[in-house]
Amino acid sequence: MQTHREMNFDALVVGGGIAGLQAALDLADQNFKVAVVEKDASIGGKMIRLSKVFPTLDCASCITTPKMAASAHHENITLFTYCDLKSISRESDTVLAARVVQKPRYVEADKCIGCRQCEYGCPVHVPDPEQGNFSMRKAIYIPFSNAIPQIALMDVENCSLCGKCAKVCPTGAVNYFQQPEELVIRAKTAVLATGFRLTPLDQKPEYGKGKILNVISSLDMERLLAPHGPYQRVLRPSDGKEPDAIAYVQCAGSRDKTLGVSYCSRVCCMYAIKQAMLLSGALPLADITIYYMDIRAFGKGYEQFFQNAKAMGIEFVKAKIAKIEQADNQSVRLRYEDQEGAGAVMEREHDLVVLSLGMVPEWHPEGICPVGCDTDAFIRTPMSRLSPTLTDMEGVFVAGVAAGPKDIVDTIAEAGAAAMEASNYLNKLNKKAAA
Amino acid sequence: MADNNQKDPEPKVGVYICHCGGNISDHVDVAKVAQEAEKLTGVSVAHTNMFMCSDPGQELIQKDIKDGKINRVVVASCAPSLHELTFRSAIKRAGMNPYLYDHANIREQDSWVHHGDPATEKAVALVAAAVSKARHLEPLEPIRVDARNHATVIGGGVAGLRAALDLSRRGIQVALVEKSPFLGGRVAHLNRVNPTGEKAADLIRPLAEAVCNDAGIQVYTCSRVVRFEGYVGNFKLGLKRQPPETPEDLAKLEKWAESGKKEGDYLPFAGYYPQKVPNTAEETEISTGAIVFATGFKTYEPRKGEFGFQENPEVIPLPAFIEAVAKEKPKGGTLTLNGRPIRRVAFIHCVGSRQIPGLHEPDDQGNLNEYCSRTCCSATLQAAIEIREAFPETRVLEYYRDIRTYGRGQEDQYERAADHHVLFFRYEPEAPPVVERAAGGTYPLTVTVKDTLTFGETVEAGVDLVVLAVGMEPNPIQDLIEMMKLPVGADRFLQEVHPKLRPVELANTGILLAGTCQAPMDMGEACNAAQAAAVKAATLLSKGYVELDPFVAKVNEEKCTGTGACVSACPVEAITLKEAEHQGKKIQRARVNPALCTGCGICVAECPNNAIDVMGWTLKQYEEMVDAIVAA
């Protein structure tokens, strides 16, 4: 490690998604100093990568970017992006210490002005995971159009070391020799807002282990539907055909003990319905079918949203999909038991199939932070009924999907709750110190 | 940098047009709008951006300000309610007065409702109007008013208790107002809570004790808010404390008296009893800085005949069943209620929830509960499991549409119920189960259903008891809604400003939402909402003052002749006539209290002398806008 910096804050927030940002804002607005540590190169989490959000159909960017900008410009918030959290430990009765490694971007953050000249100049094209790998990005790039901060980073695995980016950079920010930097962030309290990832697409043998053409994940579909998505329209990936028949397979990664995910992921019904609605706008002639076990539209306005989708002509079929296979013409065949008819085994083909995958924790605290997890692998909340954001470690709180699957509305409320607990904990420490 | 805060003799307007992904640009030719904007008088620059609200978008504006290119800003994007604040703070950070800005709504008022050329034409006209107004904007300063370090929580259920405790711990004085003699709300009417299986008593009692022992919290039971005035930071509430009179309160007090318990104790299915009830009515006034609504829910009352309700004594709602079972000692064998063995019990889900227009009958006021009540599936499964474990001879049948065990630990409950041999039948809303009196036989009732789990087979079952899993409705608080002019949704719950941007705030600044007055929630969710509301109240009050928008009426003392027309027209009593001296003579002049003024503009229309104007929305500015629209 080349350098080492130590800093003090009132609160540390781990994760710069919507939960972390809301908790940070609610703390900072009360004049507490907050550090936000984010592993990605941009804050915004999963939410900024979505197309639109249920049940209002607001564009996700319209709702996320103001909170991102407000955090980035808040005088009491310091963002640490592209950072790995190595450990959080209790240093004393009043201090938690986090060891964090700033990963090298190979671009000096204080020099980069986000002009993208390096990106335009770079000759290397690689699939862009931010766009579901449907389109390409360069080997040096700004993460995505509304990323914060707008600082380029280099993908060293794919860089050809041609030197072009360094040549075109107007501020000399490209630094091929940049080293990781170790930071020690001390704070009195911490909020864990580490979020989720989708259950893997290739997990289930009956569903083709990710090998079947035109079977995509629900987050891939978010990209296809996003206004600044890979194709700017909905095309199926294998051949660029506009799909006429699209199917959703619900509970593809949830309520399934064989996958080790016995719980409900809580958002998949609603995001499938939302995507189906957006698809019927983008492809008015397409047939859209949702295969489901139970529709769980339980939030404010959600049931009405579901009923609207039915009225729009989206087909809902009560069935657990038993098998997914490749059919002719790169179509996808679904096999299921017809519950509404006589119970016969049915087969139907669709041009494009979306697996409504579930949520698993993005981050596991073992060996990093001594908070406990439950059997579902999410962080344990021992007082879930009265103080849902308490963990089993004093002074450490949890918000959002880190404490179990949740939609955005519930996540934002919980982030506010975690901020309330953290501020009262800070208050208590400050009172003790004054006494 | 130019000194942008001075009124510039030559306004230089920057116009920024948002694509909003494709929300706007799919229907409006944004490049053309920018082109047309550049031709307008006073416009120095016009830019477009994919997302103006993003950081790169905001930086576009800030750079033009810092470069001295512009001293007025027009953003054409979504509704101002979404992002007016975002852009104002960006402008402020760039060193310019944030009120030298106007917003053209070309999404909700244009691209979402018009298409093709007419959409582009309307966008051009709206931008032209905003530019004309912007040219005549003057710098304004927000109104700063002192805020009392005091909050009032209305409702003493779990959300209200949670919010009160958090606010007090944060150093804010709290008044907790509860209409009944008891604290604990609906949670106190549960035996065990889902999915942890904890006793409701073990959760509510310590919470209520903590609240009542907290020196910073004043608890008012048997009390209602009967008067309301003021504004954020300085509300005044009239409280009326009176002897209990509702049948429910009187029944609970009777139970309390029978129990022989003293104040400061808890009785299941009544609640925590903090203080003696008053013998006479008394009124007090409290001054408070913020108000947290935690007025909760009531359960749906089934119609007579709905699933046999009120026609058969063996049909009861779930809360009554939970209370009845809680009294029974688990002794193995069969559950008995009132001496009657319950060999089979049927639970019917979605009673008073997920109602569909045309299928379900509206209530007396024409209301349908189209929403899901969120908690009934897991509450029903909880009850089913408790019965199967305590009384294994009692069989349980469940009739459902979708099982919604979405929460952490709830899916396991569903599985446990199945492991306990609870029998599930699934029905379509078009063919709900039919409950009838049995014609002879061993069971008093039969339940008949077209079961979609067995491919539409008609299944008839004899049962001893039918339990209706009734949904949630907001508590009737029409008096408060009218008094405080609160926004209510189509579902009759209180309506937040925005479910994600401002989820616990009402449009009425300083009034916050906690728990099931907003939407159905379970206990943990209600506590999260309460804490989120508490943190917002703490933020609001922590500075000791609040800043309000300066869009309020202002009197031109030169033109005012003291007619008093504005005083009688003002709906919020923000204007008074004050004595003043003019050339040795005593005269009357209108004076506006800016903290009370809502900027509605009625006074502007009433004044015969054009002597009053709303800042930021002056008559002159309106005229310019209309001229621009006509010309466009």
Side-chain angles (χ1 to χ4, degrees), chain A residues 164-181:
Chain A
K164 195 143 182 208
C165 52
K167 243 176 261 155
V168 296
C169 177
T171 60
V174 177
N175 175 1
Y176 294 99
F177 305 102
Q178 199 175 41
Q179 294 294 311
E181 183 184 14

Side-chain angles (χ1 to χ4, degrees), chain A residues 26 30 257 295-296 318, chain B residues 170 404 415 428 536:
Chain A
D26 282 338
Q30 297 177 76
K257 280 204 165 158
I295 288 291
R296 295 188 166 171
K318 260 180 217 159
Chain B
R170 189 72 191 88
R404 293 187 166 172
E415 203 180 303
E428 289 293 319
K536 279 281 174 279

